[in-house]
Amino acid sequence: MKTANARREAIKTIQDREPVASTVDYVDSSLGEQFGANVFNRSVMRTLLPKNAYRSLIQCLDHGERLDASLAETVANAMKDWAISRGATHFTHWFQPMTGATAEKHDSFLQPGSDGEWLLEFPGKLLIQGEPDASSFPSGGIRSTFEARGYTGWDPTSPAFLIDSTNGKTLCIPTVFCAFSGHALDKKTPLLRSVEAVNKQSLRLLRLLGNTEAQRITCTVGAEQEYFLIDEAFYNLRPDLVNAGRCLFGAKPPKGQEMEDHYWGSIKDRVLAFMMDAENELYRLGVPVKTRHNEVAPAQFEVAPVFEQSNVATDHNMLLMEVFRRTAQKHNLRCLFHEKPFTGINGSGKHNNWSMMDDKGNNLLEPGHTPHEDKQFLVILTAVIRAVNKWARLLRATVAFAGNDHRLGANEAPPAIMSIYLGDTLGEVVDSIITGGVPEGSRVCKVMELGVSTLPTLPRDASDRNRTSPFAFTGNKFEFRAVGSSQSIAWPNTVLNTIVAESLDYITGRIEQAVKAGKPLNQAVQAVVKETLAENKRVIFNGDNYSEEWHKEAERRGLPNDCSTTESLPVLITPEARKLFSDYEVLNEEELVSRYNVQVEAYIKTINIEVLLTLSIANTMILPAALEYQNAVAKTMSNTHKALGQDIGASGKVYEKLLQDLCDKTARLKVSIDQLDVVSKEAEHGTDDLLEHAKFFQLKVLPAMNAVRAAADDLEGIVDDSMWTLPKFREILYIY
Ligand code: ADP
Ligand code: MG
C-alpha cells in the first residue's frame, strides 16, 4: 500500500473505533473506597504497624527526624506483607534522575533461605538504600567515570505505592538519588533541601512576628497539566511525533482555535472514556485529580489535582504523566505533553500553583481576619515579591529548554519577562504602604498600618484573574505559569523555594536589626515592608503581559528579558547563584554547575534529534511526494499538448505556471535541505564551549531547519492530497 493511502486508511480505522470500556465500577466500589487503594499511606500504616513504630515513623515524617534501622526493618516488613497481599511480586526504588523522567529497576522479593528454601523477603536495608549503576544517567560532570555507583535513599515523606500493570503489581518506593561522593544526581534531593530552607527561614520570621503556634512550614503545590490527545493511527504515521514529540512539519489548519469552540466544550465520549480510565488509576495511586476540561486549542485538554506538599505533588505529577501516557495507548490514543506539538495553535503549559502552609494547615498566603494575621501575610507577600524581582532571571532559567522556547515569548503563553500580578485591590494596598497615602477612588480606604489595620476583602473571582501574567497572585497562592507542560516541576519549585527562603531571611534580618536598634516591632515591620516593596515594585504589573507596550515598559523598568534557553541558562552559574544555592544548602557549586551542564546538553541533543528527523522526513517523505506530483503534472501537460496539438493557447500558459510554481517550490525545498545538511554537519563537530555549541544550534541550525519546514509546509498546500503521506493538522486535531 502506498503510504499516502495509509493516511486515508488511518481515518477509516479511527472512524470505526468505539470508546474503550474499563472495568471500573463506582457502584460496586465508590470513589472513596478506591482512593489510595494502591498506596501504603498513613491509614494503612496505622493498621499494620505496631503502635510505637507508627508513632515514631510519624514523628520522623512530620518533624523531619532521622529514621533508625530497626524502625526501617519494621516498616519494610509491613510494606512487603501489604504489597504481597495485594499481588506484588517485585519492588523498585523509584527516583527522578536529571533526565526529567522517572527511573526504576525491579527486583523480586525472592531471597534464598538457609536450607535451599526460597523466601519472600524485604529487609530494612533494601528499603532504606539501593545501589543502582549510575553511569548511564546524566550527571553533568559530577560523577567521574571510574566511580559509577550511585545510591538511592528512601524518601519516607512520599508514600510507597503499587503500580498495577497488565500482568502483575510492583511496589514502588520513592527515593532520592545521589553519587558515591554524596552529590545529588536527581531532581528530588534539591527540592527536599529547598523546602527545608523555607521551613527554617519562615519559622524564624513567624517567631519574630509573635507566631508561636506553627512548628513546621512546608510548600504546597498544585500543578495544572495541559496536554494534547490524538489518535494513534495518525501518531504512528508521523515519525516526528514518535521521535521528537512534536510535529516538525505541518501547515496551519484552516480551522484553528479562532471559533473558540473547544474551550470547556462538551468532552467527546472516547476522550472522556480515556480520562476516566486514567483518573481511576490515579485515584487508586492516591493522586487527588480534581478537574478535567477541554482546553483552548482543538485536541487540547487539562487535568488539575488538588494541591499537596511540594515533593508529593512532584511525584504525583510524574505519575500523572506516566499514567496518562500509558492509558492513552489502551484507548488507541496518544497523549502529547510537548510544549508545542502543533505550530500555529496554542501550546501546553503547566501552571504551578504555589503557597506555604504550616503544620496546622494554615495557608501563609491566605489574607487573614485580624490585623496580626494580615501583618504576617503582607510580610510574606513582600518576601515573595522581592524574591521574584531579585531572582527573576534564575526563575526564568528553570523553565528554559528547547520545548518551552516555542511558548515563552509567543503571544499565547506568558512572556519571558518575569513580573507579578497582584490584582487591583492588593496592588492598591501595596501602593498605600509604599506611598503612605491612598489614591482617590481606591478600593483601599485607609493607609495600611501593619499590625493595626485589616486588609480589604480581596476579590477572588475569575474576572479578576490575569491570564497573561507569568506569576500571578490568585487569592491565596501564586501561580507560576511559565512552566512547560512536559517538564518536571521539581526544579522550578526548588528554585522558587530557595529564592523565597533567601528573601525571608533578608526581611527577617532587617526587621531584627530595626528592633535591636530600638524600634517597636510593628513600626520595624512597617518600615522594612515599605522599603522592600518600594525597592522591588518594578516587578509588579497588572496589565496585559502579551502587549507590545509592556515589553517597552518592562525594558524601561530594567526588567530582564531572556528570550531563549541559551540566553537564560548562564545565570545559573553566576557567582550570585552559586552563593545563593550553597548558602541555603540546596546545591553546592558542583551540583549547581552539573545542572547547568545537563540543561545545556539537553538543549543541544533535542535540537540535534529534530534536525536529523527533519532531514530524514524531508528527504524521504516530502520531497518524493512533491516530485511525484510534479511528474504527474508534467505528464498531464505533455499528454494534453499531444492530444490538442502544440498550441493550447492561453490555458497552456496557466498549466506552465502551475508546473513552474511547483518546480520552484520543490527546488526551494531541496536547496533548504542541502543547506540544513551542511550546517548540521558543521554542528556535529561542536566546540569546547558547551554554551557556544548550543548557540550554534540556536542561531545557525534552527533557522536552517525552519527554512526546510517553511518550504515543506508550502508544498503541503499544493501537492495532490492523495500523494501527501504525513497526516495533516486538519485531520489530526479533529478526527477521533
Ligand atoms: P485555575 O484554572 O482557575 O487557575 P484550577 O482550579 O484549575 O484554577 O487550579 C487551581 C490549582 O491550584 C489546583 O490544583 C488547586 O489545588 C491549587 N491550589 C489551591 N490552593 C493552593 C495552595 N494553597 N497551594 C498550592 N496550590 C493550591
Ligand atoms: Mg491556572
Side-chain angles (χ1 to χ4, degrees):
M1 178 172 57
K2 277 205 57 110
T3 33
N5 293 334
R7 224 181 89 219
R8 300 202 168 159
E9 282 299 310
I11 295 176
K12 241 179 91 218
T13 307
I14 297 166
Q15 274 163 350
D16 291 339
R17 293 206 205 278
E18 294 288 336
V20 176
S22 74
T23 49
V24 183
D25 186 345
Y26 290 110
V27 178
D28 253 13
S29 166
S30 73
L31 170 56
E33 285 163 330
Q34 296 197 38
F35 190 80
N38 283 335
V39 187
F40 191 70
N41 55 25
R42 286 192 182 203
S43 76
V44 174
M45 289 192 273
R46 200 181 310 116
T47 11
L48 296 184
L49 290 174
K51 255 205 184 79
N52 280 345
Y54 178 72
R55 225 175 292 133
S56 314
L57 183 66
I58 295 305
Q59 188 71 13
C60 294
L61 297 185
D62 290 349
H63 301 281
E65 285 168 19
R66 265 200 125 55
L67 214 108
D68 71 52
S70 77
L71 181 57
E73 200 62 46
T74 313
V75 177
N77 213 24
M79 206 185 263
K80 176 204 69 182
D81 289 344
W82 171 80
I84 290 175
S85 75
R86 295 181 161 260
T89 54
H90 287 64
F91 70 93
T92 179
H93 279 194
W94 183 78
F95 57 100
Q96 295 164 31
M98 289 191 270
T99 52
T102 60
E104 54 193 76
K105 177 189 144 245
H106 301 190
D107 276 295
S108 82
F109 289 116
L110 276 179
Q111 292 270 4
S114 49
D115 41 8
E117 273 180 300
W118 288 92
L119 308 168
L120 297 186
E121 292 289 358
F122 186 45
K125 64 176 197 301
L126 290 188
L127 167 64
I128 294 185
Q129 198 178 81
E131 216 176 298
D133 180 351
S135 58
S136 297
F137 293 107
S139 77
I142 280 185
R143 188 206 50 240
S144 49
T145 33
F146 57 84
E147 187 43 270
R149 250 179 312 167
Y151 291 100
T152 48
W154 181 31
D155 166 21
T157 59
S158 182
F161 54 89
L162 293 171
I163 284 289
D164 199 349
S165 45
T166 311
N167 294 321
K169 290 196 174 88
T170 305
L171 171 65
C172 295
I173 299 152
T175 57
V176 296
F177 178 47
C178 61
F180 181 66
S181 56
H183 290 90
L185 285 178
D186 67 346
K187 300 216 170 214
K188 179 176 258 201
T189 307
L191 175 65
L192 291 169
R193 292 174 185 159
S194 72
V195 174
E196 207 40 58
V198 167
N199 174 50
K200 194 166 147 196
Q201 299 306 332
S202 49
L203 279 181
R204 225 182 102 216
L205 173 70
L206 294 193
R207 290 291 178 271
L208 179 63
L209 298 181
N211 179 329
T212 52
E213 291 278 292
Q215 297 302 319
R216 200 169 166 76
I217 308 297
T218 51
C219 302
T220 51
V221 171
E224 301 163 51
Q225 175 75 55
E226 292 178 337
Y227 60 97
F228 280 86
L229 206 60
I230 64 168
D231 194 280
E232 77 176 0
F234 289 140
Y235 177 88
N236 289 333
L237 291 177
R238 298 238 20 163
D240 45 3
L241 277 179
V242 174
N243 288 289
R246 76 175 180 105
C247 291
L248 299 169
F249 296 97
K252 200 173 178 306
K255 177 178 189 287
Q257 59 203 45
E258 57 279 80
M259 305 299 282
E260 298 174 330
D261 52 355
H262 193 255
Y263 191 61
W264 287 22
S266 78
I267 305 172
K268 289 194 177 102
D269 213 14
R270 244 185 103 199
V271 173
L272 192 56
F274 150 78
M275 288 175 169
M276 290 182 150
D277 202 3
E279 284 164 0
N280 183 261
E281 187 171 345
L282 290 167
Y283 291 144
R284 301 171 67 79
L285 285 166
V287 181
V289 275
K290 178 94 172 158
T291 54
R292 56 175 177 235
H293 62 81
N294 288 3
E295 253 304 323
V296 169
Q300 193 187 30
F301 306 91
E302 181 182 299
V303 52
V306 177
F307 69 93
E308 300 175 281
Q309 291 194 12
S310 59
N311 80 315
V312 178
T314 302
D315 286 2
H316 281 173
N317 182 251
M318 298 307 287
L319 272 178
L320 183 147
M321 290 198 283
E322 183 56 40
V323 168
F324 266 49
R325 274 196 204 100
R326 202 158 7 98
T327 312
Q329 294 196 34
K330 277 205 319 211
H331 291 251
N332 305 112
L333 296 163
R334 290 300 160 129
C335 191
L336 310 177
F337 287 113
H338 195 283
E339 285 67 27
K340 196 75 177 177
F342 307 100
T343 307
I345 60 167
N346 266 16
S348 302
K350 183 139 57 187
H351 293 175
N352 189 87
N353 293 272
W354 177 94
S355 188
M356 288 153 60
M357 189 174 78
D358 71 13
D359 51 322
K360 311 284 180 306
N362 297 308
N363 178 352
L364 301 192
L365 284 173
E366 178 82 50
H369 303 294
T370 65
H372 184 76
E373 286 169 350
D374 282 342
K375 176 173 68 184
Q376 181 181 301
F377 164 76
L378 283 165
V379 176
I380 292 171
L381 181 83
T382 304
V384 178
I385 291 171
R386 178 183 171 279
V388 175
N389 181 41
K390 181 170 166 59
W391 301 105
R393 300 189 69 188
L394 215 47
L395 199 57
R396 160 70 180 97
T398 67
V399 294
F401 56 101
N404 223 14
D405 274 2
H406 299 287
R407 258 181 92 233
L408 300 186
N411 264 5
E412 53 161 73
I417 307 163
M418 293 295 125
S419 71
I420 296 184
Y421 169 81
L422 288 182
D424 292 339
T425 313
L426 194 54
E428 282 161 13
V429 167
V430 164
D431 283 343
S432 103
I433 295 174
I434 296 174
T435 59
V438 177
E440 219 174 300
S442 163
R443 268 162 261 212
V444 180
C445 348
K446 58 179 187 319
V447 178
M448 275 299 293
E449 226 182 296
L450 275 73
V452 180
S453 42
T454 50
L455 280 171
T457 322
L458 303 180
R460 227 184 265 172
D461 62 315
S463 64
D464 197 45
R465 293 185 183 184
N466 181 322
R467 297 268 158 195
T468 67
S469 174
F471 204 86
F473 184 72
T474 48
N476 59 0
K477 62 186 189 306
F478 277 100
E479 191 169 333
F480 182 27
R481 300 202 180 111
V483 181
S485 50
S486 71
Q487 77 179 117
S488 156
I489 57 172
W491 183 226
N493 281 294
T494 301
V495 173
L496 181 53
N497 296 342
T498 309
I499 62 180
V500 169
E502 186 273 342
S503 215
L504 288 165
D505 184 12
Y506 168 86
I507 287 195
T508 312
R510 295 297 312 251
I511 300 174
E512 280 168 354
Q513 263 173 12
V515 170
K516 223 185 237 157
K519 258 202 180 143
L521 180 67
N522 276 350
Q523 279 178 36
V525 173
Q526 183 91 23
V528 171
V529 165
K530 172 179 173 157
E531 159 204 296
T532 312
L533 285 174
E535 280 167 12
N536 294 282
K537 69 170 188 208
R538 66 171 190 171
V539 78
I540 299 170
F541 178 63
N542 286 334
D544 178 3
N545 281 257
Y546 297 168
S547 69
E548 190 73 31
E549 297 84 72
W550 169 233
H551 283 74
K552 286 192 199 122
E553 166 72 15
E555 206 181 321
R556 238 185 338 265
R557 293 189 190 185
L559 295 176
N561 183 8
D562 295 326
C563 291
S564 65
T565 298
T566 58
E567 267 175 89
S568 179
L569 291 180
V571 70
L572 287 173
I573 48 171
T574 53
E576 295 78 22
R578 291 173 198 242
K579 181 167 174 352
L580 169 78
F581 287 104
S582 71
D583 278 357
Y584 295 91
E585 296 176 336
V586 174
L587 291 166
N588 62 31
E589 284 205 45
E590 284 136 319
E591 289 172 325
L592 182 62
V593 172
S594 80
R595 272 142 190 90
Y596 164 78
N597 287 336
V598 169
Q599 268 186 272
V600 181
E601 279 165 12
Y603 179 84
I604 293 171
K605 289 174 188 165
T606 306
I607 310 278
N608 194 46
I609 291 170
E610 292 185 350
V611 167
L612 298 179
L613 268 166
T614 297
L615 287 171
S616 115
I617 294 172
N619 273 320
T620 64
M621 297 174 85
I622 295 173
L623 193 57
L627 292 174
E628 187 186 355
Y629 181 49
Q630 196 177 300
N631 188 38
V633 173
K635 259 198 207 148
T636 309
M637 273 180 64
S638 104
N639 287 344
T640 312
H641 275 286
K642 249 188 248 157
L644 293 177
Q646 278 314 301
D647 186 15
I648 54 171
S651 43
K653 288 269 169 288
V654 178
Y655 293 141
E656 264 168 39
K657 190 174 172 306
L658 169 70
L659 188 58
Q660 191 59 54
D661 192 34
L662 195 52
C663 290
D664 289 348
K665 286 183 167 156
T666 310
R668 193 176 131 223
L669 175 68
K670 176 63 179 134
V671 169
S672 64
I673 291 173
D674 292 345
Q675 277 164 354
L676 178 60
D677 200 37
V678 170
V679 282
S680 83
K681 292 224 165 66
E682 229 175 292
E684 265 172 31
H685 301 307
T687 65
D688 288 342
D689 186 310
L690 203 56
L691 188 67
E692 283 309 312
H693 196 198
K695 280 190 183 153
F696 187 87
F697 270 95
Q698 179 198 0
L699 302 173
K700 293 276 175 347
V701 182
L702 266 185
M705 191 170 103
N706 291 339
V708 175
R709 183 188 183 146
D713 290 356
D714 212 11
L715 282 164
E716 185 188 317
I718 53 169
V719 169
D720 180 346
D721 187 67
S722 71
M723 293 171 184
W724 198 258
T725 52
L726 290 172
K728 299 182 176 181
F729 289 6
R730 62 162 199 246
E731 299 155 349
I732 302 177
L733 295 169
Y734 292 97
I735 302 177
Y736 283 99

